């Protein structure tokens, strides 16, 4: 406005008039048949010099008065944008939850089937063995079953924090802090949950043999309809990079200002390895994971530092 960039804002734009005809400058196109989710009608649109009244601005966080004055409660264009799209984080939270549910459906089908289906028998028995009795079959399903318990806890904890965030006033200082943390958590949970779901459904399909292909058993249908989860609401690899950036920012603050966020609280944990070592003791595993995270973080910082010294372009250094 008046030569000053106010950032990205969102508007409601009418595509067709009352007769169903496209307005001038508006072009739309159907995306056609897809690998899955064909019940959802996806399309594309283009705008060429389309003008709309200022009343079409979604003005909860920023507005333009009749006199042409731009008003907002925030102090920066970036803050307006991040607050406006904050609700989109719910998409990642939702996909994480749906991925978990799809894992449960596939595993329930495959495990139930493995208790019914019999194949081969030992020379000393006339009764064929159930598929579930074979260790190789258990190893193809049980690790994913264990994953559902982990992701179930992760999913519900993120949803609880997201609900608390939605109840806050955007001007509340706590809102910005929670928004960043939920963005961080959802950027981690969505890739991890959707990748694990994709692998588990594939294993479930194979463990059911020909029955896994039938639509009636839902596994093949779920594979088709959830494949897009890997790129919905952000490409999984890009989301992990965003989470990594936040960790590196926290690390920098920790080193320069001695302020440690909850995300890297393990850096303040100087516990020694539990003795004697008991592989069934959860405290040993917590210690081991913290040591692993500390080593990986220090290594990442070292690599980024080397890249920055070798390149004057931060973008180039980050993508090496």
């Amino acid at each position: 406005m008046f030569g000053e960039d106010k950032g990205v804002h969102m508007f409601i734009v009418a595509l067709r008039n009352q007769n169903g005809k496209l307005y001038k400058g508006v072009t739309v196109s159907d995306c056609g048949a897809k690998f899955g989710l064909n019940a959802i009608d996806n399309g594309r649109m283009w705008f060429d010099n389309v003008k709309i009244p200022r009343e079409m601005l979604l003005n909860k966080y920023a507005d333009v008065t009749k006199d042409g004055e731009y008003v907002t409660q925030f102090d920066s264009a970036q803050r307006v944008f991040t607050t406006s799209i904050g609700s989109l984080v719910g998409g990642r939270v939702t996909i994480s939850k749906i991925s978990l549910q799809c894992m449960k459906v596939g595993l329930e089908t495959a495990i139930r089937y493995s208790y019914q289906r019999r194949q081969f028998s030992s020379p000393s028995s006339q009764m064929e063995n159930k598929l579930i009795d074979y260790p190789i079959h258990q190893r193809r399903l049980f690790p994913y079953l264990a994953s559902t318990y982990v992701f179930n806890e992760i999913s519900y904890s993120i949803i609880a924090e997201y609900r608390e965030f939605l109840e806050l006033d955007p001007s509340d200082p706590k809102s910005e802090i929670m928004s960043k943390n939920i963005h961080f958590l959802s950027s981690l949970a969505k890739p991890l949950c959707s990748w694990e779901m994709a692998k588990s459904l594939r294993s479930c399909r194979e463990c059911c043999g020909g029955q896994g292909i039938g639509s009636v058993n839902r596994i093949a249908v779920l594979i088709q309809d959830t494949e897009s989860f890997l790129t919905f609401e952000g490409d999984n690899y890009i989301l992990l990079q965003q989470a990594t950036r936040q960790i590196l920012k926290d690390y920098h603050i920790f080193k320069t200002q001695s302020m440690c966020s909850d995300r890297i609280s393990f850096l303040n944990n100087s516990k020694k390895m539990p003795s004697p070592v008991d592989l069934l003791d959860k405290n040993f595993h917590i210690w081991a994971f913290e040591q692993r995270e500390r080593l990986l973080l220090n290594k990442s910082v070292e690599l980024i530092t080397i890249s920055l010294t070798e390149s004057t372009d931060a973008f180039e250094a980050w993508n090496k």
Side-chain angles (χ1 to χ4, degrees):
M1 290 183 63
F2 307 109
E4 183 179 354
D5 185 3
K6 297 296 184 180
V8 179
H9 291 69
M10 287 168 279
F11 299 82
I12 296 176
V13 183
L15 302 180
R16 303 176 186 272
N17 60 26
Q18 293 181 345
N19 298 321
K21 299 294 184 180
L22 290 172
Y23 281 111
K24 183 179 179 180
V26 177
T27 304
V28 299
S29 174
D30 185 76
C31 287
K34 304 184 293 293
F35 178 80
L37 289 180
N38 280 297
I40 298 177
D41 191 15
N42 295 104
R44 295 169 289 204
M45 63 183 72
W46 295 263
F47 300 103
D48 184 14
N49 292 318
V50 176
K51 295 183 178 181
I52 57 175
R54 66 178 182 83
E55 288 80 9
M56 306 312 289
L57 169 68
L58 297 179
N59 61 349
K60 184 176 182 180
Y61 305 117
D63 201 1
V64 178
T65 67
K66 292 181 180 180
D67 299 327
E69 181 185 3
Y70 179 83
V71 292
T72 179
Q73 57 185 302
F74 300 113
D75 57 2
S76 68
Q78 181 63 26
R79 183 79 173 90
V80 174
F81 176 66
T82 55
T83 304
S84 299
I85 66 170
S87 58
L88 298 180
V89 174
R92 294 175 192 155
V93 176
T94 301
I95 288 180
S96 301
K97 179 64 175 176
I98 296 175
S99 297
L100 171 64
Q101 298 305 111
C102 291
M103 281 181 65
K104 291 179 180 179
V105 171
L107 286 165
E108 180 184 19
T109 302
I111 292 174
R112 284 181 178 272
Y113 179 72
S114 68
Y115 274 94
Q116 301 296 324
R117 180 75 166 91
R118 293 179 179 273
Q119 189 77 46
F120 309 119
S121 63
S122 63
S124 60
S125 174
Q126 295 182 348
M127 177 70 73
E128 291 186 321
N129 296 329
K130 296 177 181 178
L131 292 181
I132 197 64
D133 292 332
Y134 293 102
I136 190 173
H137 204 82
Q138 297 172 12
R139 295 191 184 104
R140 295 164 71 185
L141 295 175
F142 287 174
Y144 294 118
L145 179 62
S147 294
T148 62
Y149 285 88
V150 176
F151 287 122
N152 196 69
E153 292 299 313
I154 294 174
S155 177
Y156 277 105
S157 63
I158 295 177
I159 289 174
E161 185 167 345
Y162 183 61
R163 285 175 176 170
E164 182 183 352
F165 163 72
L166 292 177
E167 293 175 356
L168 293 176
D169 187 291
S171 60
D172 188 331
K174 185 179 178 182
S175 175
E176 184 175 5
I177 297 173
M178 290 193 69
S179 176
K180 289 182 178 180
N181 194 51
I182 292 171
H183 174 75
F184 168 77
L185 293 174
S186 62
S187 295
L188 280 176
K190 186 262 183 179
L192 297 178
C193 286
S194 58
W195 271 329
E196 190 76 354
M197 171 210 63
K199 291 188 294 183
S200 71
L201 288 177
R202 181 66 61 185
S203 185
C204 289
R205 209 294 301 159
E206 294 175 358
C207 285
C208 290
Q211 292 291 344
I213 299 175
S215 296
V216 67
N217 293 318
R218 298 184 292 177
I219 297 177
V221 176
L222 286 175
I223 290 175
Q224 286 184 304
D225 286 348
T226 61
E227 180 67 21
S228 57
F229 286 13
L230 308 185
T231 48
F232 263 1
E233 303 292 344
D235 181 278
N236 281 354
Y237 286 98
I238 303 302
L239 291 180
L240 287 181
Q241 282 195 341
Q242 290 185 11
T244 301
R245 282 180 181 272
Q246 184 60 60
I247 290 291
L248 292 175
K249 288 179 181 178
D250 291 345
Y251 183 86
H252 177 72
I253 294 174
F254 173 70
K255 287 295 185 180
T256 57
Q257 304 177 27
S258 299
M259 295 173 58
C260 188
S261 72
D262 291 340
R263 290 181 286 267
I264 57 171
S265 59
F266 57 86
L267 292 177
N268 272 335
N269 188 352
S270 58
K271 292 180 180 178
K272 296 182 179 180
M273 183 175 67
S275 181
V277 174
D278 182 1
L279 295 180
L280 298 181
D281 182 3
K282 69 175 183 180
N283 291 320
F284 168 75
H285 291 282
I286 292 174
W287 175 87
F289 274 117
E290 288 179 345
Q291 291 298 313
R292 178 178 180 270
E293 289 302 299
R294 183 180 286 106
L295 289 172
L296 288 175
L297 179 54
N298 288 330
K299 184 63 176 179
S300 297
V301 171
E302 179 185 344
L303 292 174
I304 288 292
T305 303
I306 293 174
S307 294
L308 288 172
T309 56
E310 294 177 348
S311 175
T312 57
D313 189 330
F315 180 83
E316 294 280 343
W318 173 260
N319 286 286
K320 279 188 176 181

